[in-house]
Amino acid sequence: MNKPIHVAHAQVRHSLQGEVKWGSKVVTVGGHAPVRVQSMTNTDTVDVIGTAIQVKELATAGSELVRITVNTPEAAKAVAPIREQLDRMGVDVPLIGDFHYNGHRLLSDHPDCAQALSKYRINPGNVGKGDKHDKQFTQMIEAALRWDKPVRIGVNWGSLDQELLARLMDENAHRPQPWDAKQVMYEALITSAIDSAQLAQQLGMAPQQIMLSCKVSGVQDLISVYRELSQRCNHPLHLGLTEAGMGTKGTVASATALSILLQEGIGDTIRVSLTPQPGESRTQEVVIASEILQSLGLRTFVPSVTACPGCGRTTSTTFQELAKQIDDYLRAQMPIWRQQYPGVEHLKVAVMGCIVNGPGESKHADIGISLPGTGEAPAAPVFIDGEKAMTLRGDNIANEFHAIVEKYIEKKYSTA
């Protein structure tokens, strides 16, 4: 007799567990906490209202941490008003300040900014050169300690510490068997992150409050770097391609790289750095990040809608339109339903296009409908909890099924 087939599950990496806080809101990161979804605004931070609105949109879409650019004194002055505006709107998502070049001055000169942020992102590749590097990095860590804020030490291969890279290249030249240039670059990324984390700890920062990232834009590069980084530290790790790209390319690249690492238990927060299509909402990157985690079975954010791709048996677009309508409706309602219907995110809906797989898929879902394919009788059986409950006919099938889904949710998940 054959051995039972192994059931695949994502591995668990035991990183340290830290916290990101704002008011009574505490987001645990690392350890046994869920992998968190992060995003970043693309508004001018000086635009207080515009930035606050986009932060709210990202948080509503499911982003649990939102990063904003803090690059000028004017941007630093806007941070506290942004936080106040979010608090007035009832949006308690923690804000992360993204600092480059002048973060040491901004945190020192604008204490309201330092206090209003929940976390600081520090890039060791551009905190200063030569003697200024350690001094200015130290100033930022001291600000984090003063205000009790965690940090992410985020190394990026586009702004790698050139002095460190030159030193490692020189050491490599003296090896009996020198590494290739890419391996040296990998080592520079990891060394920069770990050395910076060690310096932060020497200054008094707890290791669980230091998150690391080593971002690159190539899928295989990201996998290689993070596999090694995860072996050499137990800090929480932030995953993401630094420039994923647009549309299909950015989505596929991010899903490929992040899924492989997450399946291996590597990663505690993720971001899909997607370049929006013209006119596309910034929230798309949050949707994709959430879908990656949900597809891997690591998190559940929204009800899932199973729909067939269509073929020659389904020349009508009815099932496509209904599947999109139901999916859009479920996503739009989730901000309300999370409070009103606990557990509704586990709902499974099937909208199928013909009789071949339709009834079977519908039975596996909590609620499903098998629409008639080309040439089939104009009847659509509806299955609820694995049993055929009714058959819909006529021109109003979509609206009737929509109402059935709403009624099912209210009956199954209502706490009243």
Side-chain angles (χ1 to χ4, degrees):
M1 184 175 180
N2 293 332
K3 295 181 180 180
I5 297 171
H6 174 70
V7 179
H9 296 284
Q11 299 176 37
V12 177
R13 176 177 177 267
H14 297 291
S15 58
L16 298 169
Q17 181 169 296
E19 294 180 343
V20 184
K21 298 178 285 188
W22 178 252
S24 60
K25 177 81 168 185
V26 178
V27 178
T28 53
V29 176
H32 296 290
V35 179
R36 302 297 185 179
V37 174
Q38 182 176 309
S39 59
M40 185 175 183
T41 59
N42 62 354
T43 56
D44 183 349
T45 306
V46 176
D47 179 4
V48 172
I49 300 301
T51 301
I53 289 172
Q54 190 174 86
V55 170
K56 180 180 179 180
E57 291 172 349
L58 292 167
T60 300
S63 184
E64 295 159 294
L65 303 161
V66 177
R67 185 156 46 111
I68 61 175
T69 299
V70 187
N71 59 335
T72 64
E74 292 74 22
K77 291 176 184 177
V79 171
I82 291 169
R83 180 73 268 174
E84 292 167 3
Q85 181 64 33
L86 290 169
D87 291 343
R88 283 194 292 269
M89 294 190 294
V91 180
D92 58 1
V93 64
L95 293 178
I96 301 170
D98 191 68
F99 294 100
H100 294 272
Y101 307 110
N102 59 354
H104 60 292
R105 289 201 305 272
L106 296 179
L107 287 170
S108 175
D109 295 347
H110 303 279
D112 287 350
C113 166
Q115 187 175 17
L117 293 169
S118 295
K119 183 179 178 181
Y120 309 153
R121 186 276 173 122
I122 305 172
N123 184 340
N126 56 32
V127 295
K129 296 181 179 180
D131 294 340
K132 292 182 179 180
H133 180 279
D134 286 0
K135 179 182 177 181
Q136 293 174 181
F137 179 84
T138 296
Q139 287 178 273
M140 297 190 73
I141 296 299
E142 288 175 342
L145 291 168
R146 185 180 310 120
W147 297 105
D148 190 24
K149 308 294 182 180
V151 299
R152 171 160 70 92
I153 295 173
V155 184
N156 191 303
W157 74 346
S159 53
L160 191 55
D161 184 338
Q162 294 302 301
E163 293 177 6
L164 170 63
L165 181 59
R167 175 172 64 81
L168 293 179
M169 290 177 66
D170 185 58
E171 292 175 1
N172 185 58
H174 292 86
R175 285 193 175 94
Q177 294 182 320
W179 298 351
D180 64 31
K182 182 168 285 190
Q183 288 176 308
V184 178
M185 186 269 292
Y186 289 170
E187 182 62 28
L189 286 163
I190 294 167
T191 299
S192 178
I194 291 178
D195 286 357
S196 299
Q198 290 174 345
L199 177 55
Q201 289 177 78
Q202 291 168 13
L203 293 168
M205 179 153 280
Q208 67 269 22
Q209 292 299 82
I210 303 170
M211 175 169 282
L212 301 183
S213 66
C214 292
K215 286 196 170 184
V216 295
S217 57
V219 170
Q220 296 290 359
D221 297 318
L222 192 80
I223 294 167
S224 297
V225 168
Y226 273 87
R227 279 175 173 166
E228 180 66 20
L229 180 62
S230 69
Q231 293 295 316
R232 288 163 61 173
C233 77
N234 61 354
H235 295 287
L237 300 181
H238 173 72
L239 300 186
L241 293 167
T242 185
E243 294 100 11
M246 295 183 72
T248 303
K249 185 268 180 186
T251 300
V252 172
S254 293
T256 302
L258 270 58
S259 294
I260 290 171
L261 290 168
L262 290 166
Q263 184 69 12
E264 296 177 5
I266 300 171
D268 300 287
T269 66
I270 65 170
R271 183 195 171 201
V272 174
S273 299
L274 195 68
T275 305
Q277 300 278 11
E280 183 180 60
S281 172
R282 186 68 165 181
T283 59
Q284 185 64 13
E285 69 173 50
V286 179
V287 173
I288 293 169
S290 301
E291 287 290 352
I292 291 171
L293 294 176
Q294 186 152 329
S295 295
L296 288 169
L298 294 171
R299 299 282 303 270
T300 305
F301 295 93
V302 296
S304 64
V305 179
T306 299
C308 64
C311 66
R313 291 185 295 270
T314 56
T315 54
S316 167
T317 61
T318 302
F319 83 95
Q320 299 168 344
E321 294 161 0
L322 180 56
K324 185 177 188 307
Q325 181 190 58
I326 292 294
D327 191 59
D328 290 347
Y329 174 72
L330 295 174
R331 288 186 182 278
Q333 292 297 108
M334 278 308 295
I336 300 171
W337 284 353
R338 284 190 186 100
Q339 305 298 323
Q340 191 174 2
Y341 300 124
V344 70
E345 65 272 13
H346 298 288
L347 176 72
K348 295 182 179 180
V349 180
V351 180
M352 303 300 292
C354 80
I355 201 170
V356 174
N357 292 317
E361 286 283 1
S362 297
K363 288 178 182 178
H364 288 305
D366 294 308
I367 180 168
I369 186 170
S370 178
L371 295 165
T374 306
E376 294 176 12
V382 174
F383 296 82
I384 298 177
D385 294 329
E387 301 291 336
K388 183 177 177 181
M390 63 197 75
T391 299
L392 303 181
R393 292 181 172 84
D395 299 327
N396 200 33
I397 287 176
N399 290 332
E400 290 179 15
F401 183 66
H402 198 156
I404 292 168
V405 172
E406 289 180 333
K407 186 176 180 180
Y408 180 88
I409 290 170
E410 183 177 354
K411 180 180 179 180
K412 183 171 182 177
Y413 296 102
S414 177
T415 57

